[in-house]
Amino acid sequence: LAGTRIIYDRKFLLECKNSPVARTPPCCLPQIPGVTSLAQSSLVKLEELKEQNENEEAMPGEQPRHAAP
């Protein structure tokens, strides 16, 4: 079986990189944690870090507490 081979030049591919279509995910893309979206554990960790940073900014005079090893 023989098929048609499509060949793109470098300039065209670099121009496609900036296209709005290339920056939006397909509408029917499944939500797979860690692959097509952030893993749930990553989201929880991000929230914890955000809260920690907000608490540190709210109390600039205190030294940050670290857990003992």
Side-chain angles (χ1 to χ4, degrees):
L1 294 167
T4 303
R5 187 174 213 176
I6 300 173
I7 300 173
Y8 298 103
D9 65 346
R10 183 177 188 277
K11 182 182 175 207
F12 174 76
L13 292 174
L14 288 173
E15 289 173 357
C16 289
K17 178 177 74 170
N18 298 324
S19 168
V21 175
R23 295 174 180 254
T24 56
C27 63
C28 300
L29 190 67
Q31 295 296 316
I32 304 170
V35 178
T36 58
S37 62
L38 288 176
Q40 187 63 27
S41 61
S42 296
L43 291 174
V44 171
K45 185 68 174 170
L46 285 173
E47 287 296 322
E48 290 174 358
L49 290 172
K50 181 178 176 186
E51 289 176 10
Q52 182 181 2
N53 286 339
E54 289 172 354
N55 290 339
E56 289 175 0
E57 290 174 1
M59 298 180 237
E62 288 188 20
Q63 293 293 325
R65 291 182 228 158
H66 297 286

